[in-house]
Structure formats: structure tokens, C-alpha cells
Amino acid sequence: MKAFFAIFRLEFVSMVRSRALLLLALFALAWMFAVPYLITGDGTAEGAREISIRYGFGGVFVITLVSLLATASGSIARERAAKRLPLTMVRPVAYSLVVFAKAAALTLSGAIVLAIACLPALRMSVDGRWHSSAKCNHVLQPLLPSPREEACVMYEVYMKDPETPPEVKRAKRSTVLRLLEARAMDHYQTIPTNETVKWKFNVSGLPGARKAIMGEGDDLPSVRLRLSNMNEVRQDVCGYLSIGKIHAVVSNQTLAVLTFPLSPRSDGGAAEENILSFRNDGSGTSLMLRPRKDVALLVPADAFVWNLFRAWCELVSILALTISFGLFLSSALGRPVALFSAIVILAVSEASPGVISQYPDELETKLSDRIALTVTRFVAEATQPVSSLNPLERLSLDECIEVPEVCRVAAVNLFLLPVLLSLLSGIVLPRKQDEV
Amino acid sequence: MSMKEEHIVELENVKKTFRDFWLRPTVAAVDSLSLTVRRGEVFGLLGPNGSGKSTTIKMILGLLAPSAGEVKLFGLSPRSIAARKKLGYLPELSYLHPFLTASETLRYYAGLCGLSRKEAASRTKELLEMVGLSDVASRPVGGFSKGMARRVALASSLIGKPELLILDEPTSGLDPISTKEVKTLVKALAAGGMTVLMTSHLLADAQDVCDRVMIVNHGRCVAEGNVAELETSLEEFFLAKVGDVQDFQLAPFLAAQNVTGKDK
């Protein structure tokens, strides 16, 4: 451990004395204060919050991520080029510990910068500008079969259908299933006029949620719906929402993402506590929504400050994994190649989910496109531990970043994967040194 | 085997061939080299530029893997942590972290050697006094002269109280007084039981401090023996074994300047 702290301290002192940490911290503060003046919002508190978090905090995170990735991917390679690395390697310290200690020091630097960026965000939440969003919400999705299960059912039906194109029938089962799974996520449910739909929720895992649904306590749940119709035209929505002992009357709302606060029922009656029902009372055409994406029960959770803290934990975990990857590249490659590879992989990992979702089905493409799509999908899957996390988006929408998720992300991204990458770096490091 | 005969470093038929990107052999830096360094002796590895001394040292340190043959340090692999615990190394150039002070540099290496905070502080103070840098202990080493940086590097190689000290050109960059002090230090360390393996181009220095020397050329051992048993000076012995290497082609230049090598 003494060796770990010696290397950790050296790397951190290097960040401080090279003024890299100071510059990043000053940038973070300046950017957080400047963004509300640089980007014009819609005049609402929610708009101001979204700008500050997405563009302010998000900008600080991106700059910190890129600069620390560049530092990490140059760190060991620079030491090697300056011939200082052998002086560490001949000491009685495991090579993987050298890499892990460096990763820890760079992660601490990033954590400090992000914490500094949190301060203006915190002030804005306390002084009342965001009074409407003092609390965040647990977001519950309806209990439905998984997209995979739905895809399997659809596959059997699809294959028996004589109208299914022969090229689809010839295609690999896994490919068709993947496409059907993607479609299952966007599966629409129709709500005809004067009919009621019901969605089941699991509220047992959230302490206090059942109480809130039964209309007890000060903070009552809301329902978020994203409604549309067949013709994609403006249409007023009328209806009635209820769950447990709380309800909301929906009247003359324009199609959009709508959040309906629920209140105790005046008639004192009660529906089932885990079934949300929505009756379409509108006189227009049927309404449509995707239950997996467009229906959410929002149960009040804790204060914004705690949600910010959890978002910070997730962001630090992402930094830790990215830095460890940069150090791994630095152990295996020379500085320019490591830096170039790190930036390219970062860019591809960010872009790949968008490419996959927007690209035509594999069955409709040429061989060269299929190869490129396979590579992109591999990168997307390999970088999923980082790219699938979106704490800032959820923070800006006041969605609670759940504690079990934060623990899982921290265990994997802050500890497990960095340790694994450090061990790999420890194997690569002497082999690369052998080439020098 | 008595303590005196214990082999601290053992190389047996060691070869090192560097390869290019396509794994084609480019340079055979060390070729079938065998050597042993016994506990408590000062062993000099001598040879002209490009003879394979540094490659040999790097293999002993575990920084390079031999292409063939076996290297043992304290009877272990040079990459084992147990072997590295007993090792001190002074490279040819100092390679210090320029933003650290002299005392921070020593404390950093003390940490790597697993010394406690208290031990590190006392050892740092003791070594900085020994190399005469107590007054500048809190100055960043980036501003040091080459000689001062060399002394910090020497102190850092001794911080973990090593049993084997490997010195690559220890007097490089030092003035004559400091050179003399380093030689005195090496003799004192050896007298205290430390084993020293050193390389040097300054044969007079090597003659002063080494008990035994090996001369290598083109990666091979050309001579090995006790310095005390030499009938001539080490320099004459060296030239007799290695020959006139003549890396420089001076004759045309000297002719153009109207001087002769003899005049010079």
C-alpha cells in the first residue's frame, strides 16, 4: 500500500504542479456560470435547469473526460519516452499496482473538478430558482414482457406467415430476433375513445411508494405520458387517470409529453394499488403510445442535492473506467498512437448507438455495410458500461438515479473494470518495455 | 557455498536479439554471455560503446527479457518482487521528475521500496546529507545542475538499503571532486557488505574501485579477471583485448586541417 500511495501522490502532485487541475477547475466554474448567459432558455425554471445541467455540467464533464483521457493515454507512454519508467519498474512494486495508482490519482483529479462544477448547480437549486423541482422522482415503468420475450413470440408468428419475405425466412434467427427486439421497444398500444387501458406497476420495491399511492403523505405521485395519434396532428386529449386512492382528470391537453400530478380521490374509493388505468374520454381519433417508453409513474424521492451527488458518483465512475482504458492503451502503445486510439474509440463509442438505431435493418444492406454494422455493434456493446449511462439527462428531468444502480455502476466502473484493466496493463507493460 | 561465494547475479549463455516490427532480427546485442557476481564484490562491466553493456544491465534489472539463456538475481527471476526488493539502480542519466523537490524524490522512491513514513524521512535526511544536498532539499530537481541531479539519483538508488547496487556510468556528469567522492562511497558500500555491479567508460575509475572486471565487445565476453592480478594498467589491458575500435574516421579530416594524428 505504501507503494500505491507513493505513485498515487506523485501522479496527483503532477496534476497539481502542471496546473492542469487548476485550469480544469477554473474552466468548470467559469463554464457553469457562463452557460445560463450564453444559451437562452424558454423562460421556465425547468428550461433553466436543463440548460445548466445538460450544457453546463455536461460541458464540464465532456472537457474533463477528454482531457483526463488524453492525460491517461499519455501518462505511461510519456514516462517510458522520458526513460523514467524503468526507475519505477525496478522497484519492488507490482506493475499493475503502478497503473492502478495512476488511475486512482487521475480519477481523484476528475472527481474534484466535477465536485467544483456541482457547487453552482447546488446553489441554483437552493436559492429557489428551481423551486418546482426541489425533489426528484423514482421512475416506474409498466410491468410488461421483456422485448426479448415479445420478439420470440413475434418470431414464431412471423416465420409461419406465408407473406413473410423469403430472405427474412432464410436469415439467421439471431439477426431476425434482434430486429424484432428493437421493434418491440417501439411497439404501440392503441387507446380507442371511451375505452380504458391498464398498466401494472411493481411498487413493492420502493419504500413509501405504496403509501403515496394510497394518498397518504404530502408528496403524491405523478404520471408521465407521451401521447400521439395515427395522423400526427394536434389533438386535445381528455381522460381520466387513477391508481390506488389518487387520480387526475385530463382535460384539453395538447398531444405531447405530459406530466399529470395525481391527487386524492374525492369519492374516497380506491382502485388496485399497483394498476394504473387511463380512460380516453376524447372525442377525436384513438390515442397511441408505446408502453415501454411513453408511460411512467413518478413517485417522489429525495432532494435534488442527493440526486446530484448520485449523478456525480456515476460520472466519476465513468471517468475512472475511461482513465483506466487510457492507461491501458498507454501501457501498450506509444504516446501519439495511444492518444489517437483513445479519442477515436471514445468518438465511435459515443456515435455507435445512434448509428445502429438509425441504420437500415441488416437484412436490407450490402455485405460491406453489414460488416461495418457488426463492428459498430461490437464497439457499442463493448462500451455499453459507459455509453448506456445517462445520469445528466435524468438529473435534468428530475428522475431519481437509484442507489442500487449507483452501487452497481461504482462497483463495476470504479473498481472491477479498472482493476481488470490494470492487471492487463501489468502484463503488457514489461512486454512493451522489452521493445524499447 | 560460503557467504563470500554466494552468487548474487548469474547469467548463463544469455542472448538478446532485437527484432523489428515484422519480428525479423535486427541487432544481436548480447551473444552467449555468462557472468556471475559474488556477494560483497565490486564487479565492473566494461566495453566500448555499443558493446552490449546496457542491454546486459537491463536484462539483469528485468527490464528486458533475454532471447535465450537464463538470468538470475538472488537466485530468482529479475522480475520477481522479492529480487527487486534487494536492488538499487542508478541509470546512466538521472531521469528525475522535474517538478519534485530533492526530498520529495527520495520520499517517492522510499515509498516504492515500502519504507514507512518515519523511516523514509530519516533515510531521506541521511542520504541528502551524504550527497551534500541538504541545503537544497526543498528545491525542485528540474532546476538542478547535471551533477546535483546525479547525486539525487545516486541517493535514490540507495534509499531502500539494497544488497545489490547497479551503477550505470556512476561518475557521468560529475566534476573530479564529486567523482572521487563517488568512488570513495562505492568502496565504503562494498566494505559494508553491499555488492556493486557497475559499468564505466573511465577505466581509471573502474581500476580504482572494482575487484573484478569483465570486458565485453560485440555482446561477447572477451576477458574477465581480478583487477589486482593485472600486470598492466586496466586501460592497456582493455585496449589489448578490445583493440583499436576506430569508430571515428579522423584521418581525412586531420589531413585537410594540415595536422597529423601524431602531431595532435
Side-chain angles (χ1 to χ4, degrees):
Chain A
M1 284 311 282
K2 288 179 190 113
F4 173 86
F5 284 115
I7 298 161
F8 176 87
R9 188 169 175 275
L10 176 81
E11 196 68 24
F12 189 72
V13 166
S14 158
M15 284 295 288
V16 172
R17 296 197 183 157
S18 66
R19 297 191 182 87
L21 187 56
L22 178 70
L23 286 174
L24 278 174
L26 286 177
F27 166 79
L29 272 181
W31 185 247
M32 286 302 286
F33 280 112
V35 157
Y37 300 101
L38 294 174
I39 302 171
T40 310
D42 59 1
T44 63
E46 287 77 10
R49 176 194 59 207
E50 190 163 350
I51 286 171
S52 282
I53 290 175
R54 281 196 185 211
Y55 301 104
F57 206 28
V60 171
F61 175 67
V62 168
I63 294 293
T64 308
L65 182 83
V66 171
S67 54
L68 287 180
L69 178 63
T71 306
S73 53
S75 175
I76 293 174
R78 191 180 56 232
E79 293 276 293
R80 190 188 292 118
K83 302 195 174 175
R84 278 194 291 268
L85 190 60
L87 291 177
T88 302
M89 290 178 71
V90 299
R91 303 287 169 168
V93 50
Y95 302 144
S96 44
L97 194 74
V98 175
V99 181
F100 191 64
K102 280 176 179 283
L106 291 175
T107 304
L108 176 68
S109 307
I112 290 171
V113 174
L114 292 182
I116 288 169
C118 282
L119 296 177
L122 208 55
R123 185 190 67 83
M124 292 167 82
S125 75
V126 173
D127 69 5
R129 277 182 65 188
W130 299 353
H131 55 89
S132 63
S133 44
K135 282 204 163 185
C136 61
N137 297 299
H138 298 292
V139 180
L140 301 182
Q141 306 284 349
L143 288 175
L144 295 165
S146 72
R148 187 73 182 175
E149 286 168 340
E150 193 172 315
C152 288
V153 175
M154 283 163 69
Y155 179 82
E156 298 304 328
V157 175
Y158 213 41
M159 288 299 134
K160 284 176 189 162
D161 189 344
E163 290 184 16
T164 301
E167 59 269 29
V168 175
K169 288 195 173 181
R170 280 199 304 270
K172 274 165 63 180
R173 179 183 153 89
S174 59
T175 307
V176 180
L177 273 179
R178 192 171 54 232
L179 297 172
L180 290 174
E181 197 177 336
R183 284 181 196 174
M185 282 302 291
D186 290 327
H187 189 89
Y188 273 91
Q189 182 176 7
T190 306
I191 314 169
T193 308
N194 293 324
E195 286 203 12
T196 302
V197 287
K198 292 184 176 182
W199 300 289
K200 196 173 179 183
F201 287 86
N202 178 11
V203 293
S204 58
L206 287 176
R210 197 184 155 271
K211 222 170 138 184
I213 286 168
M214 297 315 283
E216 296 164 16
D218 297 330
D219 298 318
L220 296 180
S222 316
V223 171
R224 190 171 64 203
L225 298 176
R226 186 182 184 280
L227 295 159
S228 59
N229 65 18
M230 291 288 284
N231 304 314
E232 297 287 331
V233 291
R234 291 172 72 86
Q235 177 191 330
D236 285 345
V237 181
C238 294
Y240 180 73
L241 277 162
S242 70
I243 182 170
K245 286 190 174 180
I246 50 178
H247 74 148
V249 175
V250 182
S251 66
N252 298 328
Q253 299 276 358
T254 305
L255 288 173
V257 180
L258 302 168
T259 303
F260 304 105
L262 302 175
S263 57
R265 291 167 65 146
S266 52
D267 59 7
E272 286 178 79
E273 64 187 36
N274 60 347
I275 304 280
L276 172 70
S277 64
F278 174 65
R279 191 178 68 231
N280 178 9
D281 290 339
S283 56
T285 55
S286 301
L287 294 169
M288 293 171 74
L289 50 69
R290 296 163 298 180
R292 287 192 178 86
K293 287 184 174 174
D294 299 341
V295 183
L297 181 65
L298 308 176
V299 179
D302 50 10
F304 172 82
V305 59
W306 293 114
N307 211 26
L308 183 65
F309 174 69
R310 289 189 291 266
W312 176 83
C313 289
E314 277 204 1
L315 294 175
V316 171
S317 305
I318 295 171
L319 276 184
L321 180 55
T322 313
I323 287 166
S324 301
F325 185 69
L327 284 166
F328 170 68
L329 289 178
S330 190
S331 307
L333 303 166
R335 195 179 176 196
V337 183
L339 185 59
F340 176 77
S341 309
I343 299 296
V344 166
I345 290 170
L346 184 69
V348 172
S349 68
E350 278 302 302
S352 55
V355 170
I356 291 166
S357 66
Q358 288 175 21
Y359 210 77
D361 291 347
E362 272 176 271
L363 300 174
E364 299 167 18
T365 54
K366 295 181 292 187
L367 176 66
S368 58
D369 290 343
R370 282 205 295 278
I371 292 169
L373 206 53
T374 306
V375 172
T376 313
R377 188 171 287 115
F378 171 76
V379 173
E381 280 176 16
T383 57
Q384 206 196 14
V386 168
S387 60
S388 66
L389 300 173
N390 52 358
L392 290 180
E393 188 183 342
R394 287 154 68 196
L395 190 64
S396 71
L397 294 172
D398 269 344
E399 292 183 359
C400 181
I401 299 159
E402 304 292 345
V403 174
E405 180 200 309
V406 174
C407 294
R408 183 184 56 79
V409 168
V412 173
N413 290 1
L414 196 60
F415 185 73
L416 200 64
L417 290 177
V419 165
L420 193 67
L421 284 167
S422 300
L423 289 172
L424 284 175
S425 305
I427 295 168
V428 170
L429 205 58
R431 282 166 177 72
K432 177 67 184 172
Q433 188 64 34
D434 205 19
E435 293 172 15
V436 180
Chain B
M1 190 184 294
S2 68
M3 281 297 281
K4 186 68 186 170
E5 289 300 310
E6 188 187 344
H7 292 163
I8 301 294
V9 180
E10 287 172 275
L11 268 72
E12 205 174 314
N13 284 323
V14 169
K15 290 184 184 180
K16 180 66 191 177
T17 307
F18 290 103
R19 295 174 187 275
D20 65 8
F21 181 80
W22 306 107
L23 301 178
R24 292 174 304 197
T26 50
V27 183
V30 175
D31 190 8
S32 303
L33 187 70
S34 297
L35 73 84
T36 52
V37 180
R38 299 181 204 117
R39 183 177 285 278
E41 75 175 351
V42 180
F43 187 91
L45 192 61
L46 312 176
N49 290 334
S51 59
K53 299 189 299 292
S54 291
T55 305
T56 307
I57 293 282
K58 282 178 184 171
M59 285 193 286
I60 293 169
L61 290 167
L63 297 173
L64 291 178
S67 307
E70 195 177 27
V71 180
K72 278 189 178 174
L73 199 58
F74 299 99
L76 301 163
S77 158
R79 283 186 181 169
S80 75
I81 290 184
R84 282 189 273 153
K85 261 186 185 163
K86 302 173 184 173
L87 185 68
Y89 170 52
L90 175 72
E92 192 175 353
L93 296 172
S94 302
Y95 309 126
L96 302 171
H97 293 277
F99 56 87
L100 291 183
T101 66
S103 110
E104 283 171 339
T105 302
L106 294 199
R107 281 208 300 270
Y108 166 64
Y109 287 111
L112 291 187
C113 292
L115 267 61
S116 70
R117 187 183 284 254
K118 203 175 160 189
E119 277 177 307
S122 70
R123 190 97 180 110
T124 297
K125 191 165 174 272
E126 181 190 327
L127 286 170
L128 283 175
E129 272 172 21
M130 188 192 84
V131 296
L133 293 174
S134 298
D135 296 345
V136 291
S138 52
R139 263 177 53 188
V141 295
F144 279 11
S145 69
K146 195 178 173 188
M148 287 163 83
R150 195 80 189 132
R151 284 189 272 165
V152 175
L154 181 61
S156 69
S157 69
L158 293 167
I159 194 94
K161 293 185 178 170
E163 290 180 31
L164 169 68
L165 182 63
I166 297 181
L167 305 171
D168 200 356
E169 301 290 343
T171 54
S172 150
L174 294 180
D175 58 46
I177 298 166
S178 302
T179 301
K180 193 180 166 199
E181 283 172 350
V182 167
K183 286 195 285 187
T184 309
L185 173 68
V186 171
K187 282 182 196 168
L189 292 171
M194 192 181 285
T195 310
V196 180
L197 168 59
M198 61 179 279
T199 68
S200 182
H201 287 118
L202 301 173
L203 299 173
D205 291 349
Q207 186 158 23
D208 285 347
V209 294
C210 292
D211 300 320
R212 212 152 58 87
V213 293
M214 174 182 276
I215 296 169
V216 288
N217 195 17
H218 302 300
R220 289 182 178 182
C221 170
V222 290
E224 185 183 2
N226 291 329
V227 175
E229 291 167 10
L230 288 177
E231 290 173 0
T232 61
S233 74
L234 184 58
E235 190 170 350
E236 284 170 16
F237 179 71
F238 180 89
L239 287 173
K241 292 294 176 186
V242 175
D244 195 357
V245 177
Q246 282 192 337
D247 280 342
F248 282 34
Q249 299 298 320
L250 289 178
F253 174 77
L254 296 174
Q257 300 289 320
N258 284 329
V259 288
T260 63
K262 277 184 181 175
D263 292 341
K264 197 71 182 162

